Every structure is written in C-alpha cells, then in structure tokens.
Amino acid sequence: MRMRIKCEMDIINRLLPSMNVKKGGRSCHTQLSIGKKPQSDSKEGTLFLMVCTAQDKNGTKFQIKDNVEQIFAKFINEGKATIRFKDPEQDLCLCKADPLQLKNFLTLLRKASLGQNIDKINLSTLAPASNKGIDKPKTKLSVTSRKDYPLTKSFPSQLEHLHISQCRMKKIDSRIFQLKRLQHLDLRENVVEELPLTFSQLVNLRELILNSNRIQKLPSSLFLLPNWKQMLSLLDLSNNNITLLPVQLCELDNLVTLRVDHNKLETFPPTVGRLKKLKYLSASHNRIEVLPYSFMQLQLEHLDLFDNLFIDVTKSDLEEKEWQAPSLVECCARMIRKNRLPYSEDDLHAHLCRYLDSARVCWCGGFCFEGCVRALTSLSLQTFSPTVSAVDLQGRMTVPVLLFLCSPQCQRKYKRNPHAYWR
C-alpha cells in the first residue's frame, strides 16, 4: 500500500455556498499522507490524513475513522478523485496523481475510515513535509549542449515538454520513452538517423519536432501506432534526407501541422487528402514535380511549396487507352484500401504490401492500380489555401496536378468537364 502520494489538490468548503460566499483560488501541489501523530505508535493511536503544501509545510490533519463521508473515484484512471469529510465539511479534490498510487492510497483510506485492521502496514509519522516532498514537479526541460545532458541521473518523471538540441544524439535515448506524460518532444539539430517503434510508449505525445537531423526513411508502421493516429497534431521533419512519405502518414486523424521543408521528396502520398484536420503544410525546397489529385480535398489555411521542381503544364493532358476489366488482385486491393483495412508484412507478402501502397486515388474518391488512365492539369495555389507562397522567385502561382481515372465512366465525365469534381 502507498502511505504517501503527490498530486494537485483543491479544497472546497461545503459551507461557503450557504453563506453566499464563492471560493477563489486554484489548485496547488500537495503531499498527502496517512499516519499517526508523532509519539502515537500504539495500536490505539488515531489515524489522520495530513495535507502538506508549500504554504503549509506543517500540514493540516483530518481524522479518518468514521469521518470520511464518501470517496468519489469515477475518474481514478485519470488520476482524479474527491475525498469528502464530515468534520470539517470539506472536499479534497485531487488531480494529476499517479493512477496506480492513487488507487492504493484510497484503498487504505477506505479501510482506515471503516476501522478495519491495518496493523500490518507500516504507517508514516506525520511530520512536516520536506521541500522535496511539496515542490511542484518539473514539467519542462531544455538541454542545448552535450555537457548539460543528464547521463548519470534520470529525466524528471513528470515531464510534459522536453527539448534536446545540439547534443549529437544519434539514437533517441530509451529513457525518453519512459516519460508517460510527455506531450511535446523537440529533438531538433541532432544526428538522429532512425525512428524506433518504441514511440508507442509515449501515449500522450502531441507534438514531435525532428528538424535538422539525418533521417532518410520513415517506418510506415510508426504512423499506424494508436497514439500517433489519435493524438499527434504537429510533425516537423524539416531539414532531413527523406525521399518518401509513407501512405500510412495519411492515417494521422488529428494532424494539424506538417513541416517537411528541405528534404528530397518527389511527391506526396496519393491519399494525402485524408488529412482532414491539416491546416498548415510546408514543403519548400524539395524535388516535387506534381501534386496528387487528393491534395484538392485538404482544407488548408497556409501552404508553402516554394522552390520545388514543378513541371510546366499549358493544357490538360488526358491519356487514352482501351479499358479492360480489372484483375482479381486489383479488385481485392481496391476493397482493402476503400475500407481502410490495416495491413503489414506480418499479414501479407512484402510485394502485396508494396502493391497496396502504390494505390492511386481517382477523382471520384475511389482507389485504382493498373486499371486506370492518367490525366495532368494545372491549378492555381489559391485553389488549395487562402494563404500561399509563390512556388518560385518569378512569382509563379500555378502547380501541376496529377489525377487518375478508375473507370470509363470517370473518363467520360472528365472529358465533358475536367473540373466536375474539383471543390
């Protein structure tokens, strides 16, 4: 059992509303402990819950036995709970506690309040708290030189923001993946070459900055991690050596900002339009020649495609071919991609995975592979975003767009009106 926990706490006096008095203030970092007063080591000694804060290191004591009216623990898995006392008529509202420690602490508190035997548990002496016990845990850390890097001591366990730059880090320190509360990780200006799948341990990660490293390849399985798909909102991969963005990147449901400037990209994934929440996209100084049609589906607020290798398209160019019924393999592949069924080399042969990755998106929204025709047109950058940068120093504002037509019906519609499906 845990005799002592640290958390954020707010005390609510239940008598104040009846006196028409509103409570002000905010929660503060607190140490809670269960024990007996000093020199009360006998079995009959009265148990207390002591609350220590930076303002009150000596602590406020609440008698436990027959004095706990109710414990509200509906959100205990989020580190939240409320302890209601009879005398005084106050509620202790706890948050930001370790869920497991909080469960153990409340279990002990319930037993003590009911007068159950807890003699086998070594209770703490209710002495004033030390500075270490009540200091607010460190949530931000910035390391900007190798000499300041913590080699002999661990990272603070409560970190939410971690910035490590100019430390010549080649592999991401495994200790970083133990920081369960980490939301913002900035590893810019290092020499990181690979991204490990242990990112799955950072369940609260929302922003990842890897600007100015030596990354060449992005593992596709990274973008299928549940925490990345559901949580990641900012991804900065600028100033690396990346040649390809995996199609799985388009599964990041909450991605708002994507920066891939100064890489070696030749194109975007054909399903990039699935990034429904993407608002800020920067891909300047790459080798992009054309944009995929699904780019039109993005609802961007800012777009920067300066200094790429966009080809000149003076008029729409439609490939002509005789249509044949799609193969059985293509029919199956279309259904897998349409229904967004997950796949990996653990399930399918490697060449089938590569085949599925090569899917093209028709302007009708369907997927196609060999059974399609190609069309090339040009569009103004204002079509994609209200705030844009020119693609070259001459102020060019048009870019080539490549689309594929999956059936004779789509081909006929395109011939009648090339802009039928453009938003």
Side-chain angles (χ1 to χ4, degrees):
M1 293 290 184
R2 187 79 178 181
M3 301 297 104
R4 185 178 291 114
I5 62 170
K6 299 176 183 179
C7 62
E8 297 285 318
M9 188 198 70
D10 189 17
I11 299 181
I12 298 178
N13 190 324
R14 299 197 301 277
L15 294 177
L16 292 183
S18 63
M19 299 185 226
N20 201 25
V21 176
K22 292 184 178 180
K23 180 187 179 303
R26 58 184 179 180
S27 61
C28 59
H29 189 66
T30 306
Q31 176 184 280
L32 299 179
S33 54
I34 296 175
K36 300 175 183 179
K37 291 183 178 180
Q39 301 177 349
S40 298
D41 297 330
S42 66
K43 294 184 178 180
E44 293 76 20
T46 303
L47 283 174
F48 291 90
L49 183 147
M50 187 164 77
V51 177
C52 295
T53 65
Q55 293 75 30
D56 182 13
K57 294 181 181 179
N58 290 325
T60 302
K61 300 177 182 66
F62 296 82
Q63 185 172 326
I64 295 177
K65 186 176 181 181
D66 298 325
N67 193 36
V68 178
E69 182 175 325
Q70 194 169 356
I71 296 176
F72 302 92
K74 182 177 180 180
F75 300 103
I76 194 169
N77 290 328
E78 299 176 16
K80 300 176 182 178
T82 298
I83 304 170
R84 174 165 290 178
F85 286 100
K86 298 176 184 178
D87 182 24
E89 295 186 30
Q90 293 182 349
D91 292 349
L92 307 187
C93 301
L94 316 180
C95 64
K96 297 185 179 179
D98 181 272
L100 182 58
Q101 293 181 7
L102 183 59
K103 288 178 184 178
N104 292 336
F105 187 84
L106 295 181
T107 298
L108 179 61
L109 183 63
R110 284 192 182 97
K111 289 183 177 181
S113 68
L114 297 173
Q116 295 181 8
N117 188 354
I118 56 173
D119 292 339
K120 295 183 180 180
I121 299 173
N122 295 322
L123 298 172
S124 61
T125 301
L126 300 181
S130 64
N131 290 334
K132 183 179 179 181
I134 56 178
D135 283 344
K136 190 171 182 178
K138 194 170 186 177
T139 60
K140 295 184 179 181
L141 177 64
S142 180
V143 182
T144 57
S145 66
R146 296 188 71 177
K147 65 181 179 64
D148 296 329
Y149 194 84
L151 293 174
T152 58
K153 59 181 181 180
S154 59
F155 291 101
S157 61
Q158 304 296 310
L159 280 183
E160 296 177 0
H161 296 256
L162 176 60
H163 172 209
I164 301 174
S165 64
Q166 300 178 9
C167 292
R168 305 293 296 173
M169 180 188 291
K170 186 174 182 179
K171 291 186 178 180
I172 300 178
D173 193 332
S174 60
R175 294 177 298 166
I176 293 175
F177 299 113
Q178 306 302 318
L179 303 173
K180 304 303 182 183
R181 296 177 182 268
L182 197 64
Q183 298 179 19
H184 177 98
L185 178 58
D186 187 344
L187 300 178
R188 72 180 71 196
E189 297 178 23
N190 284 287
V191 289
V192 175
E193 296 180 353
E194 296 180 352
L195 302 184
L197 292 180
T198 41
F199 269 105
S200 62
Q201 299 176 29
L202 300 179
V203 294
N204 289 303
L205 187 65
R206 288 175 169 80
E207 298 181 351
L208 177 60
I209 298 175
L210 294 164
N211 187 356
S212 303
N213 278 279
R214 296 181 181 177
I215 302 169
Q216 296 185 20
K217 185 177 180 181
L218 300 171
S220 58
S221 50
L222 263 181
F223 301 99
L224 297 177
L225 296 175
N227 54 321
W228 278 42
K229 290 181 64 176
Q230 300 165 12
M231 304 287 289
L232 202 65
S233 63
L234 183 149
L235 180 60
D236 188 346
L237 298 166
S238 304
N239 293 282
N240 281 282
N241 297 308
I242 301 169
T243 58
L244 178 68
L245 294 177
V247 294
Q248 288 78 6
L249 180 142
C250 306
E251 301 297 322
L252 301 182
D253 295 331
N254 284 294
L255 191 66
V256 176
T257 302
L258 176 62
R259 304 187 188 117
V260 287
D261 308 276
H262 293 276
N263 278 284
K264 299 177 182 179
L265 297 176
E266 297 179 359
T267 185
F268 282 101
T271 54
V272 67
R274 281 189 167 171
L275 297 172
K276 299 301 183 184
K277 294 190 177 181
L278 191 66
K279 299 298 180 185
Y280 306 95
L281 175 58
S282 181
S284 63
H285 304 280
N286 278 281
R287 301 173 181 177
I288 301 170
E289 296 184 349
V290 296
L291 299 179
Y293 156 71
S294 67
F295 215 88
M296 291 291 300
Q297 299 169 349
L298 296 175
Q299 303 287 332
L300 299 174
E301 294 181 9
H302 177 78
L303 174 63
D304 184 1
L305 296 173
F306 179 75
D307 195 17
N308 277 280
L309 303 178
F310 290 119
I311 60 177
D312 290 321
V313 179
T314 55
K315 63 179 181 178
S316 296
D317 178 23
L318 174 63
E319 179 186 9
E320 296 289 344
K321 68 173 284 186
E322 290 188 9
W323 287 95
Q324 295 180 348
S327 66
L328 181 59
V329 172
E330 174 148 357
C331 290
C332 293
R334 287 187 181 190
M335 292 304 297
I336 290 174
R337 295 306 306 270
K338 177 182 178 182
N339 292 289
R340 302 180 73 168
L341 300 177
Y343 60 88
S344 68
E345 293 187 10
D346 295 332
D347 309 311
L348 300 172
H349 194 279
H351 84 273
L352 290 176
C353 291
R354 289 194 294 270
Y355 183 81
L356 288 166
D357 288 347
S358 69
R360 298 158 174 172
V361 182
C362 176
W363 74 338
C364 71
F367 289 92
C368 51
F369 295 83
E370 295 97 342
C372 62
V373 296
R374 175 180 175 276
L376 191 63
T377 187
S378 64
L379 291 170
S380 169
L381 285 172
Q382 276 83 7
T383 309
F384 307 110
S385 171
T387 306
V388 295
S389 301
V391 297
D392 58 27
L393 294 175
Q394 287 70 43
R396 177 182 168 189
M397 298 295 286
T398 60
V399 288
V401 176
L402 178 66
L403 68 142
F404 296 90
L405 307 173
C406 68
S407 65
Q409 293 83 357
C410 286
Q411 185 181 26
R412 287 194 294 270
K413 289 180 181 178
Y414 182 80
K415 286 181 177 180
R416 287 198 299 267
N417 183 0
H419 301 285
Y421 285 102
W422 306 110
R423 64 172 171 86

mmCIF file of all heavy atoms in Angstrom, residues 4-6 29-33 50-61 125-135:
data_model
loop_
_atom_site.group_PDB
_atom_site.id
_atom_site.type_symbol
_atom_site.label_atom_id
_atom_site.label_comp_id
_atom_site.label_asym_id
_atom_site.label_seq_id
_atom_site.Cartn_x
_atom_site.Cartn_y
_atom_site.Cartn_z
ATOM 1 N N ARG A 4 1.848 7.559 1.028
ATOM 2 C CA ARG A 4 2.039 8.972 0.695
ATOM 3 C C ARG A 4 1.960 9.143 -0.820
ATOM 4 O O ARG A 4 2.518 8.346 -1.564
ATOM 5 C CB ARG A 4 3.403 9.440 1.207
ATOM 6 C CG ARG A 4 3.685 10.912 1.023
ATOM 7 C CD ARG A 4 5.040 11.300 1.596
ATOM 8 N NE ARG A 4 5.056 11.232 3.050
ATOM 9 C CZ ARG A 4 5.778 10.380 3.760
ATOM 10 N NH1 ARG A 4 6.563 9.513 3.117
ATOM 11 N NH2 ARG A 4 5.744 10.382 5.076
ATOM 12 N N ILE A 5 1.254 10.170 -1.266
ATOM 13 C CA ILE A 5 1.181 10.466 -2.696
ATOM 14 C C ILE A 5 1.345 11.968 -2.915
ATOM 15 O O ILE A 5 1.123 12.768 -2.002
ATOM 16 C CB ILE A 5 -0.148 9.994 -3.334
ATOM 17 C CG1 ILE A 5 -1.339 10.733 -2.703
ATOM 18 C CG2 ILE A 5 -0.313 8.498 -3.232
ATOM 19 C CD1 ILE A 5 -2.631 10.503 -3.442
ATOM 20 N N LYS A 6 1.738 12.309 -4.140
ATOM 21 C CA LYS A 6 1.832 13.706 -4.552
ATOM 22 C C LYS A 6 0.823 13.959 -5.658
ATOM 23 O O LYS A 6 0.631 13.114 -6.531
ATOM 24 C CB LYS A 6 3.242 14.021 -5.048
ATOM 25 C CG LYS A 6 4.324 13.813 -4.006
ATOM 26 C CD LYS A 6 5.703 14.060 -4.607
ATOM 27 C CE LYS A 6 6.806 13.771 -3.592
ATOM 28 N NZ LYS A 6 8.146 13.977 -4.179
ATOM 29 N N HIS A 29 0.151 22.195 -5.619
ATOM 30 C CA HIS A 29 0.811 20.903 -5.472
ATOM 31 C C HIS A 29 0.801 20.503 -4.009
ATOM 32 O O HIS A 29 1.084 21.310 -3.124
ATOM 33 C CB HIS A 29 2.234 20.969 -6.003
ATOM 34 C CG HIS A 29 2.881 19.630 -6.068
ATOM 35 N ND1 HIS A 29 2.447 18.634 -6.914
ATOM 36 C CD2 HIS A 29 3.920 19.115 -5.362
ATOM 37 C CE1 HIS A 29 3.197 17.565 -6.753
ATOM 38 N NE2 HIS A 29 4.101 17.827 -5.814
ATOM 39 N N THR A 30 0.490 19.244 -3.767
ATOM 40 C CA THR A 30 0.221 18.776 -2.407
ATOM 41 C C THR A 30 0.839 17.405 -2.168
ATOM 42 O O THR A 30 0.934 16.587 -3.079
ATOM 43 C CB THR A 30 -1.305 18.673 -2.180
ATOM 44 O OG1 THR A 30 -1.922 19.924 -2.503
ATOM 45 C CG2 THR A 30 -1.627 18.316 -0.744
ATOM 46 N N GLN A 31 1.230 17.179 -0.916
ATOM 47 C CA GLN A 31 1.613 15.837 -0.474
ATOM 48 C C GLN A 31 0.589 15.350 0.521
ATOM 49 O O GLN A 31 0.328 16.004 1.528
ATOM 50 C CB GLN A 31 3.014 15.858 0.164
ATOM 51 C CG GLN A 31 3.435 14.507 0.740
ATOM 52 C CD GLN A 31 4.760 14.568 1.439
ATOM 53 O OE1 GLN A 31 5.804 14.550 0.808
ATOM 54 N NE2 GLN A 31 4.740 14.662 2.762
ATOM 55 N N LEU A 32 -0.011 14.196 0.248
ATOM 56 C CA LEU A 32 -0.987 13.590 1.153
ATOM 57 C C LEU A 32 -0.350 12.373 1.799
ATOM 58 O O LEU A 32 0.311 11.578 1.127
ATOM 59 C CB LEU A 32 -2.245 13.153 0.394
ATOM 60 C CG LEU A 32 -3.055 14.239 -0.324
ATOM 61 C CD1 LEU A 32 -4.243 13.604 -1.038
ATOM 62 C CD2 LEU A 32 -3.542 15.288 0.645
ATOM 63 N N SER A 33 -0.551 12.212 3.114
ATOM 64 C CA SER A 33 -0.008 11.046 3.800
ATOM 65 C C SER A 33 -0.997 10.569 4.857
ATOM 66 O O SER A 33 -1.803 11.348 5.376
ATOM 67 C CB SER A 33 1.344 11.370 4.440
ATOM 68 O OG SER A 33 1.249 12.511 5.277
ATOM 69 N N MET A 50 -2.946 13.724 6.442
ATOM 70 C CA MET A 50 -2.293 15.032 6.538
ATOM 71 C C MET A 50 -2.060 15.600 5.153
ATOM 72 O O MET A 50 -1.597 14.898 4.241
ATOM 73 C CB MET A 50 -0.969 14.924 7.291
ATOM 74 C CG MET A 50 -0.339 16.305 7.560
ATOM 75 S SD MET A 50 0.963 16.283 8.804
ATOM 76 C CE MET A 50 2.316 15.611 7.865
ATOM 77 N N VAL A 51 -2.379 16.879 5.000
ATOM 78 C CA VAL A 51 -2.245 17.598 3.744
ATOM 79 C C VAL A 51 -1.162 18.659 3.905
ATOM 80 O O VAL A 51 -1.302 19.574 4.727
ATOM 81 C CB VAL A 51 -3.573 18.269 3.345
ATOM 82 C CG1 VAL A 51 -3.402 19.081 2.075
ATOM 83 C CG2 VAL A 51 -4.677 17.235 3.190
ATOM 84 N N CYS A 52 -0.067 18.532 3.143
ATOM 85 C CA CYS A 52 1.032 19.495 3.208
ATOM 86 C C CYS A 52 1.183 20.210 1.868
ATOM 87 O O CYS A 52 1.175 19.564 0.812
ATOM 88 C CB CYS A 52 2.343 18.795 3.550
ATOM 89 S SG CYS A 52 2.370 18.043 5.188
ATOM 90 N N THR A 53 1.332 21.516 1.913
ATOM 91 C CA THR A 53 1.552 22.323 0.718
ATOM 92 C C THR A 53 2.749 23.243 0.952
ATOM 93 O O THR A 53 3.288 23.310 2.062
ATOM 94 C CB THR A 53 0.319 23.177 0.382
ATOM 95 O OG1 THR A 53 0.106 24.133 1.445
ATOM 96 C CG2 THR A 53 -0.924 22.310 0.232
ATOM 97 N N ALA A 54 3.147 23.944 -0.082
ATOM 98 C CA ALA A 54 4.272 24.884 0.052
ATOM 99 C C ALA A 54 3.936 25.995 1.038
ATOM 100 O O ALA A 54 4.816 26.527 1.720
ATOM 101 C CB ALA A 54 4.628 25.466 -1.314
ATOM 102 N N GLN A 55 2.656 26.365 1.127
ATOM 103 C CA GLN A 55 2.232 27.417 2.050
ATOM 104 C C GLN A 55 2.058 26.890 3.475
ATOM 105 O O GLN A 55 2.091 27.645 4.444
ATOM 106 C CB GLN A 55 0.922 28.051 1.576
ATOM 107 C CG GLN A 55 1.011 28.842 0.274
ATOM 108 C CD GLN A 55 1.109 27.952 -0.946
ATOM 109 O OE1 GLN A 55 0.598 26.841 -0.949
ATOM 110 N NE2 GLN A 55 1.783 28.434 -1.989
ATOM 111 N N ASP A 56 1.840 25.585 3.595
ATOM 112 C CA ASP A 56 1.597 24.986 4.908
ATOM 113 C C ASP A 56 2.394 23.687 5.008
ATOM 114 O O ASP A 56 1.848 22.588 4.833
ATOM 115 C CB ASP A 56 0.101 24.728 5.097
ATOM 116 C CG ASP A 56 -0.229 24.147 6.472
ATOM 117 O OD1 ASP A 56 0.667 24.182 7.355
ATOM 118 O OD2 ASP A 56 -1.346 23.645 6.656
ATOM 119 N N LYS A 57 3.696 23.806 5.299
ATOM 120 C CA LYS A 57 4.560 22.626 5.352
ATOM 121 C C LYS A 57 4.251 21.756 6.562
ATOM 122 O O LYS A 57 4.478 20.549 6.546
ATOM 123 C CB LYS A 57 6.026 23.043 5.373
ATOM 124 C CG LYS A 57 6.493 23.719 4.090
ATOM 125 C CD LYS A 57 7.961 24.078 4.155
ATOM 126 C CE LYS A 57 8.405 24.776 2.868
ATOM 127 N NZ LYS A 57 9.842 25.155 2.922
ATOM 128 N N ASN A 58 3.747 22.388 7.661
ATOM 129 C CA ASN A 58 3.411 21.601 8.854
ATOM 130 C C ASN A 58 2.184 20.736 8.639
ATOM 131 O O ASN A 58 1.994 19.734 9.321
ATOM 132 C CB ASN A 58 3.185 22.535 10.043
ATOM 133 C CG ASN A 58 4.479 23.182 10.494
ATOM 134 O OD1 ASN A 58 5.547 22.554 10.441
ATOM 135 N ND2 ASN A 58 4.412 24.430 10.927
ATOM 136 N N GLY A 59 1.356 21.131 7.678
ATOM 137 C CA GLY A 59 0.250 20.285 7.274
ATOM 138 C C GLY A 59 -1.033 20.479 8.065
ATOM 139 O O GLY A 59 -1.025 20.911 9.223
ATOM 140 N N THR A 60 -2.142 20.162 7.412
ATOM 141 C CA THR A 60 -3.467 20.153 8.039
ATOM 142 C C THR A 60 -3.902 18.703 8.169
ATOM 143 O O THR A 60 -3.824 17.931 7.216
ATOM 144 C CB THR A 60 -4.483 20.924 7.179
ATOM 145 O OG1 THR A 60 -4.024 22.265 7.005
ATOM 146 C CG2 THR A 60 -5.859 20.922 7.825
ATOM 147 N N LYS A 61 -4.377 18.330 9.365
ATOM 148 C CA LYS A 61 -4.721 16.936 9.629
ATOM 149 C C LYS A 61 -6.231 16.748 9.658
ATOM 150 O O LYS A 61 -6.960 17.564 10.225
ATOM 151 C CB LYS A 61 -4.099 16.487 10.951
ATOM 152 C CG LYS A 61 -2.576 16.587 10.981
ATOM 153 C CD LYS A 61 -2.023 16.202 12.336
ATOM 154 C CE LYS A 61 -0.505 16.349 12.375
ATOM 155 N NZ LYS A 61 -0.079 17.767 12.244
ATOM 156 N N THR A 125 5.003 8.538 10.010
ATOM 157 C CA THR A 125 4.855 9.516 11.083
ATOM 158 C C THR A 125 4.505 10.849 10.467
ATOM 159 O O THR A 125 5.143 11.293 9.512
ATOM 160 C CB THR A 125 6.169 9.632 11.884
ATOM 161 O OG1 THR A 125 6.503 8.364 12.416
ATOM 162 C CG2 THR A 125 6.016 10.632 13.012
ATOM 163 N N LEU A 126 3.504 11.485 11.006
ATOM 164 C CA LEU A 126 3.006 12.725 10.408
ATOM 165 C C LEU A 126 3.901 13.897 10.785
ATOM 166 O O LEU A 126 3.543 14.753 11.593
ATOM 167 C CB LEU A 126 1.555 12.972 10.837
ATOM 168 C CG LEU A 126 0.566 11.863 10.436
ATOM 169 C CD1 LEU A 126 -0.844 12.227 10.886
ATOM 170 C CD2 LEU A 126 0.594 11.641 8.935
ATOM 171 N N ALA A 127 5.059 13.945 10.185
ATOM 172 C CA ALA A 127 5.999 15.035 10.415
ATOM 173 C C ALA A 127 5.852 16.064 9.302
ATOM 174 O O ALA A 127 5.328 15.764 8.227
ATOM 175 C CB ALA A 127 7.420 14.488 10.451
ATOM 176 N N PRO A 128 6.282 17.310 9.516
ATOM 177 C CA PRO A 128 6.212 18.330 8.454
ATOM 178 C C PRO A 128 6.904 17.858 7.187
ATOM 179 O O PRO A 128 7.916 17.154 7.229
ATOM 180 C CB PRO A 128 6.926 19.537 9.074
ATOM 181 C CG PRO A 128 6.771 19.339 10.545
ATOM 182 C CD PRO A 128 6.814 17.859 10.775
ATOM 183 N N ALA A 129 6.384 18.260 6.049
ATOM 184 C CA ALA A 129 6.912 17.822 4.753
ATOM 185 C C ALA A 129 8.196 18.556 4.422
ATOM 186 O O ALA A 129 8.394 19.713 4.801
ATOM 187 C CB ALA A 129 5.877 18.053 3.663
ATOM 188 N N SER A 130 9.072 17.875 3.725
ATOM 189 C CA SER A 130 10.304 18.500 3.242
ATOM 190 C C SER A 130 10.015 19.291 1.971
ATOM 191 O O SER A 130 8.967 19.130 1.346
ATOM 192 C CB SER A 130 11.351 17.423 2.957
ATOM 193 O OG SER A 130 10.894 16.577 1.907
ATOM 194 N N ASN A 131 10.971 20.145 1.595
ATOM 195 C CA ASN A 131 10.799 20.915 0.359
ATOM 196 C C ASN A 131 10.647 19.998 -0.844
ATOM 197 O O ASN A 131 9.868 20.258 -1.755
ATOM 198 C CB ASN A 131 11.989 21.850 0.155
ATOM 199 C CG ASN A 131 12.000 22.983 1.156
ATOM 200 O OD1 ASN A 131 10.953 23.376 1.670
ATOM 201 N ND2 ASN A 131 13.184 23.499 1.451
ATOM 202 N N LYS A 132 11.406 18.888 -0.853
ATOM 203 C CA LYS A 132 11.333 17.951 -1.968
ATOM 204 C C LYS A 132 9.947 17.333 -2.084
ATOM 205 O O LYS A 132 9.450 17.078 -3.168
ATOM 206 C CB LYS A 132 12.391 16.861 -1.787
ATOM 207 C CG LYS A 132 12.446 15.867 -2.928
ATOM 208 C CD LYS A 132 13.526 14.827 -2.699
ATOM 209 C CE LYS A 132 13.563 13.822 -3.845
ATOM 210 N NZ LYS A 132 14.609 12.786 -3.620
ATOM 211 N N GLY A 133 9.314 17.115 -0.939
ATOM 212 C CA GLY A 133 8.006 16.467 -0.957
ATOM 213 C C GLY A 133 6.900 17.331 -1.494
ATOM 214 O O GLY A 133 5.902 16.819 -2.003
ATOM 215 N N ILE A 134 7.028 18.649 -1.374
ATOM 216 C CA ILE A 134 5.930 19.522 -1.773
ATOM 217 C C ILE A 134 6.265 20.429 -2.950
ATOM 218 O O ILE A 134 5.395 21.157 -3.439
ATOM 219 C CB ILE A 134 5.474 20.405 -0.584
ATOM 220 C CG1 ILE A 134 6.654 21.205 -0.039
ATOM 221 C CG2 ILE A 134 4.828 19.558 0.482
ATOM 222 C CD1 ILE A 134 6.292 22.123 1.089
ATOM 223 N N ASP A 135 7.522 20.404 -3.403
ATOM 224 C CA ASP A 135 7.854 21.196 -4.585
ATOM 225 C C ASP A 135 7.090 20.671 -5.794
ATOM 226 O O ASP A 135 6.952 19.461 -5.983
ATOM 227 C CB ASP A 135 9.354 21.135 -4.874
ATOM 228 C CG ASP A 135 10.142 22.028 -3.931
ATOM 229 O OD1 ASP A 135 9.521 22.891 -3.293
ATOM 230 O OD2 ASP A 135 11.379 21.834 -3.826
#
